[in-house]
Amino acid sequence: MTDRERDSLRERVDRLPREVPPARDLWPDVARAIEASRRRARVYRAVAMASTLAAAAAIALFVGVAGRRTPGHLAVSPSVSTPAPTPVVAAPPPPLPEENAYQGAERLLDAELDERRASLKPAQAAVLDDNLRIVDRAIETTRAEVREHPEDPELRAELDRVWEDKLDLIRQATELYSEM
Amino acid sequence: MTTWVDTLPMTESPARPQQAPVGIPARVRAAQDGDAAAFEAIYRENVGRVHALCLRMTGNPREAEAMTQEAFVRAWQRLGQFRGESALSTWLNHVAVSVVLTSRRATLRRLRRVETTDDLARLDGPDPVRPQPDSRIDLERAIALLPDGARIVFVLFEIEGYTHAEIARELGIAENTSKAQLHRARGLLREVLHD
């Protein structure tokens, strides 16, 4: 390509319009996608907080066990790990059919945990209960979003994840106290 | 997480003069705080430019619409990262380029799984069908007819003002490959454009 040809091409490129509007208004679709993204962000925040606190609670419970086994160790104070409970203003939405299996597993684990509750210090029981409440709120938040937007597979996957977090927390607490 | 959009240096070019720091306009701040109406105004103001870029990079109106949509959703999600170091329109263009290239990489990966070829140039396909020598064709249409790789390099270099180094980094190719694609694009355009 000669310099003249290149200059000519350059001139034509410079004359191209800076803006070419789309044939239709894309905003409604963009707005819908943004709303879905916001929804997921809300759920992720609730789930992330629940997961973090559940993990912290498991550690706190473990340290509590170690503290009991080795006198002199500092037992975890519930005031460190537990945020103030949020008042419930509305009845939680009923569980979805696909939560049946999780609820069945939860009942079995709860029964096992209840048998061991007597060996928990009141402070440790408080840590566990407060954190279970936080995970429950995350389940309710996610469930409400799934009910409103059943077509969103990411929300359904998130509901599975937060249920698994809850079952893990109960399982860990049960296992720790069955060792005593 | 820092993405290439945040780290890409502004380059001087005839098409995209370097911007002085311009701060964050009130409307952008409002959108950063979650004001959807403010973001809609940003969309309305910039959609023509973003769509033009997507259309030229993809050469396909349908794909361009999808990419434009995705670019604005991505921009909404990352708006908090916009620090006002460049004009918002420049930042939006970078987001759109990132969206188109990410989509193209995904397509190439899909094709690679199906075709098993180590010569990605083949995925560009043969040179497009050219118009008859006596036909007139506008530049926009000629760009759309370029093979994928040549078209993207041409648009980024000639229209968006990227350097070969930037193009090479974004496309994961050697700088010389970028130069060769540009040469190829110019050659094909010369053949189909009649002054």
Side-chain angles (χ1 to χ4, degrees):
Chain A
M1 187 177 238
T2 64
D3 286 348
R4 192 174 161 277
E5 286 170 331
R6 191 169 302 156
D7 289 345
S8 161
L9 180 59
R10 180 76 251 166
E11 278 170 24
R12 294 181 78 151
V13 166
D14 288 343
R15 285 201 301 270
L16 285 175
R18 297 284 101 193
E19 299 192 11
V20 180
R24 64 184 180 91
D25 185 7
L26 304 179
W27 177 251
D29 290 340
V30 172
R32 262 193 296 277
I34 286 174
E35 186 43 42
S37 146
R38 277 177 145 174
R39 223 162 41 223
R40 287 175 193 152
R42 273 199 299 271
V43 167
Y44 292 156
R45 269 197 300 277
V47 173
M49 186 176 86
S51 305
T52 307
L53 289 171
I59 292 166
L61 289 164
F62 179 78
V63 172
V65 171
R68 283 167 66 131
R69 283 174 180 164
T70 317
H73 277 210
L74 184 66
V76 173
S77 158
S79 62
V80 174
S81 323
T82 54
T86 308
V88 176
V89 291
L96 296 157
E98 55 265 46
E99 292 177 82
N100 285 346
Y102 288 120
Q103 288 186 305
E106 183 191 17
R107 276 192 293 275
L108 289 175
L109 287 168
D110 271 349
E112 212 175 317
L113 182 62
D114 284 345
E115 286 176 17
R116 291 170 171 74
R117 260 185 193 278
S119 61
L120 290 178
K121 285 178 182 172
Q124 290 167 330
V127 170
L128 179 64
D129 290 339
D130 283 348
N131 283 279
L132 283 173
R133 268 194 293 275
I134 290 164
V135 179
D136 281 340
R137 278 202 295 276
I139 289 175
E140 284 163 18
T141 305
T142 313
R143 181 188 293 148
E145 295 289 356
V146 171
R147 278 192 180 284
E148 206 175 328
H149 304 279
E151 74 292 348
D152 191 333
E154 286 194 36
L155 289 175
R156 287 177 178 277
E158 218 39 63
L159 186 59
D160 285 337
R161 276 195 283 273
V162 72
W163 260 110
E164 278 156 21
D165 280 347
K166 180 175 186 181
L167 297 182
D168 275 348
L169 176 61
I170 304 174
R171 210 174 283 126
Q172 283 174 36
T174 309
E175 281 169 7
L176 283 170
Y177 285 94
S178 65
E179 289 170 9
M180 297 183 62
Chain B
M1 196 176 85
T2 305
T3 66
W4 73 272
V5 172
D6 312 305
T7 57
L8 195 65
M10 302 292 103
T11 54
E12 275 199 78
S13 80
R16 194 182 61 181
Q18 189 157 13
Q19 305 280 343
V22 290
I24 302 182
R27 182 182 283 167
V28 180
R29 280 189 197 282
Q32 285 177 327
D33 289 340
D35 182 340
F39 190 71
E40 182 179 357
I42 291 171
Y43 162 86
R44 303 254 173 239
E45 220 169 76
N46 293 279
V47 67
R49 198 165 31 247
V50 170
H51 180 256
L53 170 60
C54 292
L55 185 61
R56 286 167 187 149
M57 282 185 79
T58 61
N60 177 321
R62 231 183 144 126
E63 210 183 327
E65 281 193 0
M67 295 294 104
T68 303
Q69 223 169 284
E70 180 60 27
F72 278 100
V73 174
R74 196 81 64 84
W76 166 266
Q77 291 165 341
R78 295 181 182 173
L79 203 55
Q81 297 170 12
F82 176 71
R83 300 272 175 257
E85 286 148 5
S86 63
L88 182 70
S89 56
T90 308
W91 184 82
L92 283 171
N93 270 20
H94 285 163
V95 172
V97 168
S98 168
V99 164
V100 173
L101 294 183
T102 301
S103 162
R104 180 174 181 267
R105 275 193 285 271
T107 305
L108 288 177
R109 272 198 300 275
R110 264 200 310 278
L111 289 172
R112 219 187 257 133
R113 277 200 295 275
V114 179
E115 289 212 1
T116 319
T117 173
D118 55 1
D119 179 12
L120 286 182
R122 280 178 47 205
L123 297 176
D124 263 357
D127 284 354
V129 177
R130 294 168 191 167
Q132 295 302 305
D134 61 345
S135 70
R136 294 185 68 83
I137 183 168
D138 69 35
L139 179 58
E140 206 80 83
R141 173 112 183 95
I143 292 171
L145 286 172
L146 288 172
D148 199 34
R151 185 181 59 252
I152 287 176
V153 170
F154 182 83
V155 171
L156 291 181
F157 187 91
E158 292 284 9
I159 304 178
E160 295 302 316
Y162 282 62
T163 64
H164 282 298
E166 288 169 343
I167 294 170
R169 190 172 65 235
E170 293 314 321
L171 295 180
I173 57 176
E175 273 189 58
N176 279 340
T177 309
S178 175
K179 288 175 186 169
Q181 289 281 33
L182 180 66
H183 181 75
R184 183 185 179 200
R186 283 173 174 162
L188 289 167
L189 289 174
R190 185 190 53 194
E191 286 179 37
V192 297
L193 294 168
H194 302 283
D195 285 320

